[in-house]
Amino acid sequence: MLEEEQKYEVDDTFVLPDLSASAPTGGRVRALPPLTLVARHLDTVDLRLARAGAALRHRDGDELPWTVKLPTGTPGVRHEISRPGPAGQPPPELVELVTALHRGAPLAPVAVVRTVRHAHEVCAEDGTVLAEVVDDRVRVLDDAGATTGAFREVEAELKAGDRDLLGRVGEVLRDAGARAGAFTPKHVRALGAAARAEPDLVPPGGLADDPSAGAVVTEAVRKEVRRLLTHDPLVRLRGSTEGGDSPVHQMRVACRRLRSDLRTFRPLVRRNWARPLRDELRWLARVLGEARDAEVLRDRLRRTATADPLSPLDMDAVGRLDDALAQRQRRALAAIDEALRSPRYLALVDALVLAARAPRLTRRAATPAARTLPKLVARPWRQLTGPDGVDGLDPLAPDDRWHAVRKEGKQARYAVTAVLPAVGRDARRLARTLARVQDVLGEHQDAAVAAETWLLLAAERPDDHEVAVTAGRLAERERDTVHRMRARFPDAWHRATRRRQTRWLP
């Protein structure tokens, strides 16, 4: 679940105000009995979790005492996952959720935080808790239980309410003298400066004017490494990302973009460094790909089956096809779990963190990006436009030939996207139109694969005549989509190849 809260700094003279003004019409504020909470935080010896904004703790008295908190990139908003388990023995599932942060290093207790909490719930008229405001007096304890530090803070956490309510609560608190502070978790404050140091995973930092080619490469690598490792715990949780994309899809895209960037920027990165990294990313992308393919096919099955309400299909037969895909998906997800628990994956994560910190660049990477990068992008562009690409594409060519052009188009699009910061508006236009080309070619490929899949699944059930008929009708609809995408392709390609979008390419 997502936890969204705001923190406020207060001193010992602060008096929590009446929060009734923030409640909706008919609502009320309910005071809860004081609580004493003792939380024991685990981390690596060099505080990798805390420096990344994450936490793994055990808190006495909670129904689910073990909790992992993961940053989302938005201050004050974190993923919170809680599980049962005895003190001193963190659940393996939670330890795995922070694999990309601890990278196999041992976890041990690093901080004990004792909090005396006075909580107030802001409720709707029907009693629904919309927000919770807590006044926390915090003590940091050493191994012997002695106090080594103390502070006080107020938190406003969103429950069933909206952000406007959180804003009204904040107004009341600020009027009473609370100061909106930076979002710093309690255990980070307790651990001090070492917990506020830079995280191991260096985030994208933006580019200066007229960057070097190497700076653009570094920024591209950091962006995709961050995408991959951020989605690692969400893949393990079988969660979803904002916008509906699955974490498996996002992680696979990161693998593909990283491999593509290392290929495009080949003259700028050291071969003996990039090649093994690309090989390992290919392995991970392949593992993720099987689950993603099943996911896409299941979604497509539902959409294709209901695409024509005037010509309904046998939905029981559709359900049996979906059951077969669901089994395939479960096997693929189990393979992902096994891969993410492997020493091979841990080694890849370590390599990616190092890659984001300092990619191994060649001397040529020191040259100006605006001069060097267009020449590198021109290679995949020529491959896409040449006789082995679109120029040699017969409208009646087999599906595999169209798929090969799709892969060349994806490589070109990734290359153009990677150099956007250095090239600017013309590259942005080309990236947008290439995205539309990819939409057409992607829909073509998905339909072609789906048509073949429906027939293969039916062949696995030779005695199920309803499935055979339904699969045949589904395949006809998919082949119709293939024909429509082939007809739509020339216009999409024409828009992508306008001179004003490609004039920057040598």
Side-chain angles (χ1 to χ4, degrees), residues 67-79:
T67 297
V68 157
K69 295 192 178 188
L70 299 166
T72 63
T74 302
V77 181
R78 294 184 290 178
H79 296 285

Side-chain angles (χ1 to χ4, degrees), residues 82-383:
S82 297
R83 296 289 186 268
Q89 187 177 334
E93 177 188 356
L94 295 190
V95 174
E96 288 175 3
L97 288 183
V98 288
T99 295
L101 301 178
H102 65 65
R103 308 196 306 284
L107 296 170
V110 293
V112 180
V113 178
R114 180 179 183 273
T115 302
V116 177
R117 169 166 292 179
H118 293 80
H120 293 74
E121 295 175 335
V122 181
C123 303
E125 188 173 4
D126 64 359
T128 301
V129 179
L130 304 176
E132 183 180 57
V133 178
V134 299
D135 183 358
D136 287 343
R137 295 177 182 268
V138 183
R139 292 188 179 277
V140 184
L141 308 179
D142 63 16
D143 293 340
T147 299
T148 61
F151 56 89
R152 183 185 179 192
E153 67 180 19
V154 171
E155 294 178 359
E157 182 178 349
L158 201 59
K159 297 295 186 180
D162 56 26
R163 290 181 179 176
D164 288 342
L165 172 64
L166 209 56
R168 294 197 301 273
V169 169
E171 270 187 58
V172 174
L173 293 173
R174 287 191 295 272
D175 288 345
R179 302 177 302 281
F183 186 85
T184 305
K186 288 182 178 65
H187 73 293
V188 172
R189 291 185 66 174
L191 289 166
R196 297 188 181 95
E198 290 295 320
D200 285 354
L201 179 59
V202 180
L207 294 167
D209 295 337
D210 301 321
S212 69
V216 175
V217 173
T218 300
E219 188 75 356
V221 169
R222 287 176 178 173
K223 178 182 175 183
E224 297 309 325
V225 170
R226 186 176 184 84
R227 186 207 299 247
L228 194 157
L229 298 184
T230 296
H231 286 92
D232 168 302
L234 300 181
V235 167
R236 298 172 192 267
L237 285 169
R238 307 285 189 258
S240 62
T241 59
E242 192 172 342
D245 274 341
S246 76
V248 169
H249 174 58
Q250 287 292 328
M251 206 169 173
R252 186 191 190 194
V253 167
C255 290
R256 286 180 162 182
R257 283 185 177 266
L258 269 170
R259 292 190 68 245
S260 174
D261 290 346
L262 292 173
R263 179 180 174 186
T264 298
F265 299 135
R266 194 160 32 198
L268 308 179
V269 295
R270 295 191 181 278
R271 182 178 301 180
N272 61 354
W273 170 79
R275 181 179 292 170
L277 192 56
R278 290 188 74 241
D279 289 344
E280 291 306 282
L281 288 166
R282 182 191 296 113
W283 161 72
L284 181 58
R286 189 181 301 120
V287 173
L288 295 165
E290 292 185 17
R292 174 59 180 168
D293 291 346
E295 180 180 83
V296 169
L297 284 166
R298 293 189 72 190
D299 180 66
R300 190 170 192 93
L301 175 62
R302 289 187 287 271
R303 288 189 288 113
T304 304
T306 57
D308 186 358
L310 298 178
S311 182
L313 302 184
D314 183 337
M315 295 310 293
D316 287 338
V318 170
R320 294 197 288 279
L321 290 171
D322 184 63
D323 288 343
L325 291 173
Q327 290 180 16
R328 184 184 298 184
Q329 187 177 20
R330 284 192 291 272
R331 289 193 298 268
L333 290 172
I336 290 177
D337 289 340
E338 183 178 353
L340 297 188
R341 294 185 182 117
S342 69
R344 182 175 185 178
Y345 178 70
L346 271 180
L348 174 57
V349 171
D350 253 337
L352 290 172
V353 170
L354 292 173
R357 180 168 296 280
R360 302 284 185 85
L361 305 176
T362 63
R363 291 182 180 179
R364 189 176 172 186
T367 58
R371 188 178 75 204
T372 301
L373 297 184
K375 298 175 185 177
L376 300 183
V377 177
R379 293 177 181 176
W381 178 251
R382 284 194 298 269
Q383 196 160 350

